[in-house]
Amino acid sequence: MPIVSTAVGAGIAFAGTMVADLGRARGQRRREQELDRWQHGIDFLVALDAAHGLLREVARSRPDPGELPAAVAEAMGESGLYGAREKLLIAGTPQVVRAAEVVVGRLVAIRNAVRSGATLDSRSYHDAYHDYAESLWAFRMVVRKGFGHRTIAPSDLDRPDWSERAHCRVCAADGS
């Protein structure tokens, strides 16, 4: 009888340890996945910024019209945006993916304007930029909310809105 009760006790102890280890491993995997999602969001934002900066450089340098498509394609490829987007599409929550797709679409509008010959002071670049700025901030707020952080309002940063229209010299010049 003592041997049987010892064996049963050992089995119960072993099972309890296994259940505790599984719970701990599951919690660790969840934390790692959350960190991966956070990192993918940051990588995506950095790649968006790189792509926008490179597109601005193309618009500023004003290459020959025949060279524009290649210059724009190089800028987009060099930014790392496509790889960062793919990681986010796989790892992001549906809300984050939707917001990411909106901001990519708005960046594509900038890309198309630059590829068509828009300069930084042109109306087509200007209008696309304000839409991009708004969607970029919206994406940031969706990511913050998804990780349980409080969202930030433009007024929290002494801004009238996220579009940057209020401080835009092009908007001020034409009264929009």
Side-chain angles (χ1 to χ4, degrees):
M1 194 66 155
I3 293 176
V4 172
S5 63
T6 301
V8 169
I12 291 171
F14 179 73
T17 301
M18 291 296 293
V19 168
D21 284 345
L22 285 172
R24 195 173 13 262
R26 194 173 303 129
Q28 180 65 27
R29 275 194 308 276
R30 195 174 325 113
R31 284 187 296 279
E32 288 171 0
Q33 288 171 340
E34 206 165 284
L35 282 173
D36 283 346
R37 281 198 318 273
W38 185 259
Q39 189 62 52
H40 293 320
I42 291 169
D43 292 346
F44 180 71
L45 282 166
V46 169
L48 282 167
D49 184 57
H52 180 242
L54 291 166
L55 288 171
R56 286 179 59 84
E57 189 55 42
V58 170
R60 187 179 294 115
S61 67
R62 301 179 187 205
D64 291 331
E67 297 172 3
L68 271 171
V72 167
E74 182 180 338
M76 293 298 287
E78 192 177 307
S79 71
L81 178 62
Y82 299 125
R85 178 186 182 203
E86 287 303 318
K87 289 176 184 175
L88 193 66
L89 288 172
I90 298 300
T93 64
Q95 296 84 357
V96 167
V97 168
R98 279 192 291 275
E101 286 302 286
V102 169
V103 76
V104 166
R106 303 280 172 81
L107 184 66
V108 165
I110 292 174
R111 180 202 68 191
N112 293 344
V114 171
R115 188 171 43 206
S116 296
T119 61
L120 295 180
D121 291 333
S122 69
R123 192 75 207 173
S124 61
Y125 177 87
H126 169 83
D127 290 342
Y129 172 75
H130 287 307
D131 290 342
Y132 168 73
E134 277 183 317
S135 66
L136 183 61
W137 277 100
F139 174 77
R140 290 173 177 142
M141 295 308 110
V142 168
V143 171
R144 288 182 61 81
K145 188 176 180 182
F147 285 100
H149 302 299
R150 186 177 75 79
T151 59
I152 300 168
S155 60
D156 293 334
L157 301 177
D158 294 326
R159 295 169 171 242
D161 59 39
W162 292 130
S163 73
E164 301 183 17
R165 284 183 174 91
H167 302 292
C168 176
R169 60 189 163 89
V170 175
C171 286
D174 71 7
S176 47

